[in-house]
Amino acid sequence: MIMKQPTVKPGTISPMAEVPAHIPKPEYAAGGLPSPCRLSCRKETEEQRQRMRHAGCLAREVLDRVLDEVRPGVTTDHLDRLAHRLIVSRGAYPSPLNYMGFPKSICTSVNEVVVHGIPDSRPLEEGDIVNCDVTVYVDGMHGDCSETVFVGKVDDRAQRLVRVAWECLLRGIEAAGPGRRLNLVGLAVEAHARSHGYSVVREFCGHGIGEHFHMAPYVAHFHEPDNDVVLVEGMTLTIEPMLNEGTAACVIWPDHWTAVTADCGLSAQFEHTLLVVGDGVEILTGGRTPRFLA
Ligand code: MF3
Ligand code: CO
Ligand code: CO
């Protein structure tokens, strides 16, 4: 096993941003605790599906604006403040803010950070990769997406990992559809990752989404032979595989959020929110070409 040196360490986290009183907030906004959720993620009515489309579109729009700002020298705190301003200017709530106490409005995960990186004072450096994860709550629904981008020019090793992480999301999406076993997603993602020598993170999964940020079912990105959940038309869920170049194992920083690879190898992730429809899935968070390919 190759153990690398960390490239990221905790920076300074600026004070929590305010959300204007008139903006409708999710149940955890004040106390930090999501309510125990017994709702199904299935959207029975066209009206609910329309609200999910709206949440997905806004999440994508904000994510695109954030990604436009990524360049060497820009801090992740700057990306967070930009996202926060845009989201509240649309009358929406940035879902991560105070979710189980999370202190910021988006997640920014750099290099060996797998997921849930807290935006802070660290300037992005040429050669970094960064995943920006934007979730918004609008019209009573959450929409969630993320993309990993290059900071300036990155080496071949980073380029390969990011490309395969993107391909894994596409394979997962292709495997999903009404009447199909949910774990076909995990099977497809894991097979593609492994064929390139990468590991798939097991501690963090995709999820049902809608009236609540995280709902049943959880979406494993690896094979789970005993998982007999079947997808049904109207379900809204995320697929968000995290790929590591070395070990799949993660370590959590003392901030209780930042998950890094145990061997400090690179990690990359992409996420879409999806609606299960008659002949497959509709991508609610935009189907455009990711930046690293453009
Ligand atoms: N957006 C993440 C996801 O894809 C969740 C972030 S939870 C937070 O599910 F609290 F860290 F924001
Ligand atoms: Co998600
Ligand atoms: Co997300």
Side-chain angles (χ1 to χ4, degrees), residues 42-51 53 141:
R42 186 165 184 199
K43 311 298 177 286
E44 307 273 353
T45 69
E46 189 52 32
E47 185 266 345
Q48 288 175 306
R49 294 177 190 185
Q50 226 24 68
R51 289 194 285 128
R53 291 190 181 97
M141 295 291 186

PDB file of all heavy atoms in Angstrom, residues 42-51 53 141:
ATOM      1  N   ARG A  42     -41.277   8.641  -3.304  1.00  0.00           N
ATOM      2  CA  ARG A  42     -42.056   8.562  -4.543  1.00  0.00           C
ATOM      3  C   ARG A  42     -42.958   9.780  -4.696  1.00  0.00           C
ATOM      4  O   ARG A  42     -43.706  10.129  -3.782  1.00  0.00           O
ATOM      5  CB  ARG A  42     -42.916   7.300  -4.542  1.00  0.00           C
ATOM      6  CG  ARG A  42     -43.619   7.125  -5.865  1.00  0.00           C
ATOM      7  CD  ARG A  42     -44.179   5.750  -6.049  1.00  0.00           C
ATOM      8  NE  ARG A  42     -44.757   5.662  -7.379  1.00  0.00           N
ATOM      9  CZ  ARG A  42     -45.636   4.736  -7.746  1.00  0.00           C
ATOM     10  NH1 ARG A  42     -46.008   3.809  -6.881  1.00  0.00           N
ATOM     11  NH2 ARG A  42     -46.113   4.732  -8.973  1.00  0.00           N
ATOM     12  N   LYS A  43     -42.867  10.432  -5.837  1.00  0.00           N
ATOM     13  CA  LYS A  43     -43.705  11.590  -6.130  1.00  0.00           C
ATOM     14  C   LYS A  43     -44.889  11.099  -6.956  1.00  0.00           C
ATOM     15  O   LYS A  43     -44.730  10.716  -8.114  1.00  0.00           O
ATOM     16  CB  LYS A  43     -42.911  12.664  -6.892  1.00  0.00           C
ATOM     17  CG  LYS A  43     -41.556  13.013  -6.267  1.00  0.00           C
ATOM     18  CD  LYS A  43     -41.694  13.602  -4.871  1.00  0.00           C
ATOM     19  CE  LYS A  43     -40.331  13.867  -4.235  1.00  0.00           C
ATOM     20  NZ  LYS A  43     -39.613  12.636  -3.787  1.00  0.00           N
ATOM     21  N   GLU A  44     -46.064  11.104  -6.317  1.00  0.00           N
ATOM     22  CA  GLU A  44     -47.255  10.546  -6.976  1.00  0.00           C
ATOM     23  C   GLU A  44     -47.846  11.515  -7.983  1.00  0.00           C
ATOM     24  O   GLU A  44     -48.423  11.107  -8.983  1.00  0.00           O
ATOM     25  CB  GLU A  44     -48.326  10.219  -5.924  1.00  0.00           C
ATOM     26  CG  GLU A  44     -47.852   9.346  -4.768  1.00  0.00           C
ATOM     27  CD  GLU A  44     -47.949   7.860  -5.076  1.00  0.00           C
ATOM     28  OE1 GLU A  44     -48.500   7.509  -6.139  1.00  0.00           O
ATOM     29  OE2 GLU A  44     -47.452   7.066  -4.253  1.00  0.00           O
ATOM     30  N   THR A  45     -47.726  12.813  -7.696  1.00  0.00           N
ATOM     31  CA  THR A  45     -48.434  13.784  -8.537  1.00  0.00           C
ATOM     32  C   THR A  45     -47.473  14.538  -9.455  1.00  0.00           C
ATOM     33  O   THR A  45     -46.285  14.694  -9.150  1.00  0.00           O
ATOM     34  CB  THR A  45     -49.174  14.837  -7.680  1.00  0.00           C
ATOM     35  OG1 THR A  45     -48.204  15.678  -7.043  1.00  0.00           O
ATOM     36  CG2 THR A  45     -50.054  14.172  -6.630  1.00  0.00           C
ATOM     37  N   GLU A  46     -48.023  15.017 -10.558  1.00  0.00           N
ATOM     38  CA  GLU A  46     -47.242  15.805 -11.496  1.00  0.00           C
ATOM     39  C   GLU A  46     -46.783  17.106 -10.826  1.00  0.00           C
ATOM     40  O   GLU A  46     -45.684  17.593 -11.094  1.00  0.00           O
ATOM     41  CB  GLU A  46     -48.095  16.097 -12.744  1.00  0.00           C
ATOM     42  CG  GLU A  46     -47.354  16.721 -13.906  1.00  0.00           C
ATOM     43  CD  GLU A  46     -46.084  15.960 -14.321  1.00  0.00           C
ATOM     44  OE1 GLU A  46     -46.010  14.714 -14.200  1.00  0.00           O
ATOM     45  OE2 GLU A  46     -45.138  16.648 -14.786  1.00  0.00           O
ATOM     46  N   GLU A  47     -47.614  17.617  -9.947  1.00  0.00           N
ATOM     47  CA  GLU A  47     -47.264  18.862  -9.240  1.00  0.00           C
ATOM     48  C   GLU A  47     -46.003  18.659  -8.397  1.00  0.00           C
ATOM     49  O   GLU A  47     -45.085  19.487  -8.406  1.00  0.00           O
ATOM     50  CB  GLU A  47     -48.470  19.300  -8.387  1.00  0.00           C
ATOM     51  CG  GLU A  47     -48.318  20.636  -7.681  1.00  0.00           C
ATOM     52  CD  GLU A  47     -47.798  20.505  -6.253  1.00  0.00           C
ATOM     53  OE1 GLU A  47     -47.814  19.387  -5.696  1.00  0.00           O
ATOM     54  OE2 GLU A  47     -47.348  21.521  -5.697  1.00  0.00           O
ATOM     55  N   GLN A  48     -45.914  17.544  -7.689  1.00  0.00           N
ATOM     56  CA  GLN A  48     -44.700  17.253  -6.903  1.00  0.00           C
ATOM     57  C   GLN A  48     -43.490  17.087  -7.823  1.00  0.00           C
ATOM     58  O   GLN A  48     -42.388  17.540  -7.517  1.00  0.00           O
ATOM     59  CB  GLN A  48     -44.878  15.953  -6.115  1.00  0.00           C
ATOM     60  CG  GLN A  48     -45.830  16.026  -4.945  1.00  0.00           C
ATOM     61  CD  GLN A  48     -46.013  14.638  -4.338  1.00  0.00           C
ATOM     62  OE1 GLN A  48     -46.362  13.681  -5.036  1.00  0.00           O
ATOM     63  NE2 GLN A  48     -45.764  14.517  -3.051  1.00  0.00           N
ATOM     64  N   ARG A  49     -43.690  16.420  -8.932  1.00  0.00           N
ATOM     65  CA  ARG A  49     -42.574  16.180  -9.870  1.00  0.00           C
ATOM     66  C   ARG A  49     -42.073  17.502 -10.429  1.00  0.00           C
ATOM     67  O   ARG A  49     -40.868  17.702 -10.594  1.00  0.00           O
ATOM     68  CB  ARG A  49     -43.023  15.228 -10.988  1.00  0.00           C
ATOM     69  CG  ARG A  49     -43.333  13.839 -10.441  1.00  0.00           C
ATOM     70  CD  ARG A  49     -43.854  12.886 -11.490  1.00  0.00           C
ATOM     71  NE  ARG A  49     -44.352  11.664 -10.822  1.00  0.00           N
ATOM     72  CZ  ARG A  49     -44.798  10.591 -11.430  1.00  0.00           C
ATOM     73  NH1 ARG A  49     -44.821  10.534 -12.763  1.00  0.00           N
ATOM     74  NH2 ARG A  49     -45.221   9.552 -10.742  1.00  0.00           N
ATOM     75  N   GLN A  50     -43.006  18.408 -10.692  1.00  0.00           N
ATOM     76  CA  GLN A  50     -42.651  19.731 -11.200  1.00  0.00           C
ATOM     77  C   GLN A  50     -41.817  20.495 -10.168  1.00  0.00           C
ATOM     78  O   GLN A  50     -40.835  21.145 -10.512  1.00  0.00           O
ATOM     79  CB  GLN A  50     -43.955  20.501 -11.506  1.00  0.00           C
ATOM     80  CG  GLN A  50     -44.049  21.241 -12.821  1.00  0.00           C
ATOM     81  CD  GLN A  50     -43.168  20.768 -13.951  1.00  0.00           C
ATOM     82  OE1 GLN A  50     -43.329  19.695 -14.493  1.00  0.00           O
ATOM     83  NE2 GLN A  50     -42.206  21.604 -14.324  1.00  0.00           N
ATOM     84  N   ARG A  51     -42.192  20.388  -8.908  1.00  0.00           N
ATOM     85  CA  ARG A  51     -41.418  21.061  -7.862  1.00  0.00           C
ATOM     86  C   ARG A  51     -40.024  20.462  -7.745  1.00  0.00           C
ATOM     87  O   ARG A  51     -39.050  21.169  -7.488  1.00  0.00           O
ATOM     88  CB  ARG A  51     -42.172  21.005  -6.528  1.00  0.00           C
ATOM     89  CG  ARG A  51     -43.418  21.923  -6.538  1.00  0.00           C
ATOM     90  CD  ARG A  51     -43.983  22.147  -5.154  1.00  0.00           C
ATOM     91  NE  ARG A  51     -44.702  20.983  -4.670  1.00  0.00           N
ATOM     92  CZ  ARG A  51     -44.490  20.387  -3.479  1.00  0.00           C
ATOM     93  NH1 ARG A  51     -43.567  20.855  -2.654  1.00  0.00           N
ATOM     94  NH2 ARG A  51     -45.183  19.335  -3.123  1.00  0.00           N
ATOM     95  N   ARG A  53     -38.377  19.173 -10.268  1.00  0.00           N
ATOM     96  CA  ARG A  53     -37.642  19.681 -11.444  1.00  0.00           C
ATOM     97  C   ARG A  53     -37.101  21.074 -11.159  1.00  0.00           C
ATOM     98  O   ARG A  53     -35.971  21.410 -11.497  1.00  0.00           O
ATOM     99  CB  ARG A  53     -38.546  19.715 -12.678  1.00  0.00           C
ATOM    100  CG  ARG A  53     -38.914  18.350 -13.200  1.00  0.00           C
ATOM    101  CD  ARG A  53     -39.605  18.422 -14.562  1.00  0.00           C
ATOM    102  NE  ARG A  53     -39.955  17.073 -14.986  1.00  0.00           N
ATOM    103  CZ  ARG A  53     -41.160  16.510 -14.834  1.00  0.00           C
ATOM    104  NH1 ARG A  53     -42.163  17.217 -14.329  1.00  0.00           N
ATOM    105  NH2 ARG A  53     -41.370  15.264 -15.200  1.00  0.00           N
ATOM    106  N   MET A 141     -39.012  21.257  -1.748  1.00  0.00           N
ATOM    107  CA  MET A 141     -38.251  20.082  -2.214  1.00  0.00           C
ATOM    108  C   MET A 141     -36.755  20.399  -2.236  1.00  0.00           C
ATOM    109  O   MET A 141     -36.358  21.539  -2.502  1.00  0.00           O
ATOM    110  CB  MET A 141     -38.670  19.709  -3.644  1.00  0.00           C
ATOM    111  CG  MET A 141     -40.107  19.255  -3.788  1.00  0.00           C
ATOM    112  SD  MET A 141     -40.400  17.646  -2.992  1.00  0.00           S
ATOM    113  CE  MET A 141     -42.095  17.360  -3.523  1.00  0.00           C
TER     114      MET A 141
END
